[in-house]
Amino acid sequence: MRTAAFAERQAVAAFTWAAEKFADVPDQLRRDWRRQVPEEQKHHDLIVARMAELGFGLADRPVSRGLWESLTACATGAEFCLKIARAEERGRRAAVQLVAFLADDDPLTAAIFQEIADDEVAHVALAATYFGWSPAQD
Ligand SMILES: [Fe+2]
Ligand SMILES: [Fe+2]
């Protein structure tokens, strides 16, 4: 869950950064990125609140900076959009697996990850809408 919370916080930062940085994508896509930021923040807050209920803290365990470095190295908005869509799709699939795993033992946590997985469908779809990408291509 700590990894998932970090990924959501990273998504907040990445979409905020990309909406400022990339002038080479349609204005509408930059608006779509900005519009997504509160939803990524909601995902982060839902996970952190549930972790607190379960008695876990956000300990200072090292988390990988690899994705962040790879995202901020993108030369174009299209490259960023495709790269983050792949990462979000991986996260969405992990959330779907977690939901199945937790369904019986921890339905509250499962419901949080189900909501996140449902929201991520639209995030991943931006790469399809603007650049014709689909997860099946990978
Ligand atoms: Fe998210
Ligand atoms: Fe997302």
Side-chain angles (χ1 to χ4, degrees), residues 7-8 11 15 39-41 43-44 88 116 119-120 123:
E8 300 295 352
F15 286 118
E39 214 162 78
E40 305 295 12
Q41 185 67 48
H43 296 167
H44 172 269
E88 294 203 283
I116 291 171
D119 288 345
E120 295 298 343
H123 300 183

Side-chain angles (χ1 to χ4, degrees), residues 2-133:
R2 192 181 290 115
T3 304
F6 174 71
E8 300 295 352
R9 206 171 78 184
Q10 190 163 247
V12 169
F15 286 118
T16 304
W17 172 82
E20 285 298 310
K21 162 92 177 169
F22 294 114
D24 62 334
V25 296
D27 286 348
Q28 183 60 47
L29 176 56
R30 302 203 341 246
R31 280 194 290 274
D32 289 339
W33 283 341
R34 280 202 193 90
R35 196 166 35 74
Q36 233 164 248
V37 167
E39 214 162 78
E40 305 295 12
Q41 185 67 48
K42 176 191 79 176
H43 296 167
H44 172 269
D45 295 347
L46 281 170
I47 296 169
V48 171
R50 185 62 184 146
M51 284 174 70
E53 283 168 9
L54 294 171
F56 306 139
L58 280 182
D60 281 337
R61 208 191 254 188
V63 284
S64 167
R65 289 184 54 82
L67 178 61
W68 177 257
E69 278 159 14
S70 149
L71 288 170
T72 50
C74 287
T76 67
E79 189 186 343
F80 171 86
C81 187
L82 297 176
K83 196 171 275 178
I84 200 158
R86 281 192 190 95
E88 294 203 283
E89 176 61 11
R90 278 197 302 276
R92 191 194 65 78
R93 288 179 190 181
V96 168
Q97 285 181 343
L98 197 56
V99 169
F101 182 74
L102 293 174
D104 293 335
D105 294 333
D106 187 349
L108 282 177
T109 305
I112 287 168
F113 281 97
Q114 184 65 58
E115 179 176 347
I116 291 171
D118 291 346
D119 288 345
E120 295 298 343
V121 171
H123 300 183
V124 173
L126 290 180
T129 302
Y130 287 91
F131 303 108
W133 177 78

